Amino acid sequence: MKTNDHIVFIVDDDPRICEALSELLESHGIRAVAYGSAGEYVRAKKPDVPASLILDVELPDINGLDLQKQIANGNHPPIVFITGHGDIPSSVRAIKHGAVDFLTKPFSDDDLLNAVQTGLAQDRQARLERAEMTALLERYSALTPRERDVLPLVVSGLLNKQAAAELGISEVTLQIHRRNVLQKMGAASLADLVASLPDGLDTIVGERGAQLSGGQRQRVAIARAFLKDAPILILDEATSHLDAVSEQAVRGALDLLARSRTTLVIAHRLSTVRNAHRIIVLEDGRVAETGTHRELLDKGGLYAHLVSRQLASASGPPDS
């Protein structure tokens, strides 16, 4: 039975290939729509649901790799390339620009289904992150100027009396602003963290937050960094103590935080560093190679090996 909560687009000029792929996907409950050219695909109205794109390299109007480059700056679905004439330079170019996989005909049904499921999962995650970023910006924009003054004082751990004195307002007024801030923001896990503490923001957490869990300390540190607005930001495994749900909740805030300042990221996860202007790869305490994500992929060294391994591990079996 097909489902309407996701879709796979197929772009191939061979009607037999389109028909065979459509039948395969639909037999696994995946809705599919096929197009005979890149232009037809680009012009078509598409449903706003998680998607994946199966794209032939050789098309009558434009090369599939060139189409990938043209739509790179938009919110396009993750691409699974298929071709009857695969070569290493084309596959490297495709993966370097973010393709899920590069399959050479004839390929197995399992390989294609695995790649499609990976693409759908990536698009779901990307949509979630975009929605979270939009919600975060909307919540922050809803704060009044005075509430924006209150927010950093609240997060810094000042008691109501101290924060009120800092702003030159009464403690009662401060409490009103604080309540409004928490209600409006409710974001980056701050409200959830405060609600989980026995005495809310007045809870004694010990020196350097000794009585908080590792995840709670990280969430407070991230919120404080956001409000400090320092010109240089250092993220050392910034989400290592967060569970998957909490990590998703703060990832959008971290991306926003890093946009307008110099940011140093120390991490093992490719998703954390791949957009950096410069990546320094360390091995046994020494610099093994440096460059951008694309430059390091072209070198085919340690970084490219780690990328391949992570991509392979991400391509799990389809959901049952």
Side-chain angles (χ1 to χ4, degrees):
M1 181 177 179
K2 291 185 293 184
T3 177
N4 291 322
D5 65 353
H6 58 256
I7 191 170
V8 174
F9 304 113
I10 304 168
V11 182
D12 195 305
D13 61 336
D14 188 336
R16 295 169 300 178
I17 295 293
C18 289
E19 182 179 359
L21 294 179
S22 295
E23 290 180 354
L24 172 64
L25 294 169
E26 292 180 1
S27 70
H28 286 78
I30 301 173
R31 181 185 174 196
V33 178
Y35 306 95
S37 68
E40 186 182 351
Y41 165 74
V42 171
R43 291 189 298 270
K45 185 176 181 180
K46 305 171 187 68
D48 186 18
V49 295
S52 187
L53 170 61
I54 300 175
L55 180 62
D56 191 14
V57 174
E58 298 298 333
L59 296 169
D61 50 354
I62 186 175
N63 184 281
L65 295 170
D66 292 333
L67 175 63
Q68 180 191 31
K69 184 177 181 180
Q70 287 184 10
I71 63 178
N73 293 327
N75 296 324
H76 68 84
I79 298 175
V80 178
F81 277 102
I82 57 174
T83 180
H85 308 283
D87 58 78
I88 293 177
S90 295
S91 63
V92 169
R93 176 181 171 185
I95 297 300
K96 183 173 68 174
H97 286 83
V100 175
D101 210 337
F102 192 92
L103 303 177
T104 302
K105 303 171 186 176
F107 44 79
S108 71
D109 292 352
D110 285 344
D111 285 343
L112 180 69
L113 290 169
N114 287 342
V116 165
Q117 291 287 0
T118 298
L120 290 172
Q122 289 181 1
D123 200 39
R124 289 190 188 96
Q125 180 63 31
R127 288 169 173 270
L128 175 63
E129 291 176 358
R130 290 196 296 270
E132 288 174 345
M133 178 65 72
T134 299
L136 177 65
L137 293 174
E138 289 178 351
R139 287 194 292 267
Y140 187 76
S141 66
L143 297 180
T144 67
R146 175 56 84 186
E147 288 166 354
R148 295 183 186 183
D149 292 336
V150 169
L151 181 55
L153 301 180
V154 168
V155 175
S156 69
L158 291 181
L159 300 177
N160 289 338
K161 184 177 182 180
Q162 295 170 319
E166 183 78 17
L167 295 174
I169 59 179
S170 70
E171 187 173 347
V172 172
T173 301
L174 187 283
Q175 289 175 334
I176 294 173
H177 286 312
R178 185 186 73 172
R179 183 175 62 252
N180 291 339
V181 166
L182 292 179
Q183 288 177 345
K184 290 181 180 180
M185 289 300 290
S189 298
L190 177 59
D192 292 338
L193 171 60
V194 171
S196 69
L197 299 176
D199 296 315
L201 288 167
D202 294 325
T203 300
I204 304 300
V205 298
E207 185 176 359
R208 294 182 177 273
Q211 297 179 29
L212 296 176
S213 68
Q216 287 175 325
R217 285 197 298 272
Q218 273 193 319
R219 285 148 63 186
V220 170
I222 290 168
R224 295 172 100 173
F226 194 98
L227 296 166
K228 181 67 175 178
D229 199 26
I232 298 176
L233 177 66
I234 300 176
L235 301 176
D236 186 357
E237 302 287 4
T239 59
S240 60
H241 287 87
L242 301 180
D243 57 31
V245 174
S246 297
E247 181 179 357
Q248 290 180 1
V250 302
R251 185 181 294 172
L254 285 176
D255 290 341
L256 178 63
L257 183 61
R259 281 182 183 175
S260 57
R261 70 202 77 240
T262 299
T263 306
L264 304 177
V265 180
I266 304 169
H268 291 85
R269 296 175 183 173
L270 172 63
S271 60
T272 308
V273 303
R274 67 180 303 163
N275 293 325
H277 295 95
R278 185 182 184 192
I279 300 172
I280 301 175
V281 184
L282 301 179
E283 183 178 29
D284 297 328
R286 298 178 180 274
V287 176
E289 51 189 358
T290 65
T292 64
H293 173 72
R294 293 180 180 178
E295 291 170 347
L296 292 173
L297 283 181
D298 288 340
K299 289 181 180 179
L302 176 60
Y303 183 81
H305 171 71
L306 295 174
V307 170
S308 299
R309 191 168 66 182
Q310 183 168 347
L311 285 173
S313 64
S315 300
D319 295 335
S320 57

